[in-house]
Amino acid sequence: MIYKFKSKAAGDLILLEPQGVQFLQIIGKTPGPQGIIDALEMPAAIAALQQAVQQQEAAQAQAAADAAAQGQPAPRLEGISLRQRSKPIIDMLQRCHQAGHPIVWGV
């Protein structure tokens, strides 16, 4: 399944299912074929994404510190980080919040 997030205030944002589900779970929405993020929910969604990014980066830093303490190389990070992946989502949330337009998917 592909998630296509749409709003009148921003361009469409397309996420594959794993990333779309992760995004929706982070902001407290139930993943599903259709949904809406109201403009009033957007500040909390932005804060939740920023907190998730900080938690992921703290966990990665701790893993690197643990490896260094054991004299092993730092673990390799694979794929795109949550910080990189969440940037366009946060931008969309900010634009839509400022304009007062909801974000919908599956409609």
Side-chain angles (χ1 to χ4, degrees):
M1 183 168 130
I2 293 178
Y3 284 93
K4 184 175 183 180
F5 297 96
K6 302 184 281 186
S7 177
K8 292 180 181 179
D12 294 352
L13 179 66
I14 298 172
L15 298 175
L16 296 176
E17 185 172 9
Q19 292 77 30
V21 167
Q22 180 187 30
F23 161 61
L24 291 172
Q25 288 174 337
I26 289 171
I27 67 169
K29 289 287 188 175
T30 303
Q34 293 181 337
I36 186 168
I37 304 168
D38 192 88
L40 296 175
E41 299 172 307
M42 292 177 191
I46 293 166
L49 282 167
Q50 291 171 337
Q51 182 179 9
V53 167
Q54 290 173 348
Q55 289 174 345
Q56 182 187 58
E57 290 174 347
Q60 291 170 346
Q62 184 63 46
D66 292 346
Q70 296 174 0
Q72 298 180 359
R76 281 184 45 170
L77 304 176
E78 295 185 29
I80 299 172
S81 71
L82 184 57
R83 176 176 293 282
Q84 293 167 314
R85 194 173 305 283
S86 67
K87 175 72 170 121
I89 298 167
I90 291 172
D91 288 348
M92 183 181 202
L93 287 165
Q94 289 172 334
R95 275 194 208 119
C96 294
H97 180 255
Q98 289 173 352
H101 291 288
I103 297 172
V104 297
W105 67 94
V107 180

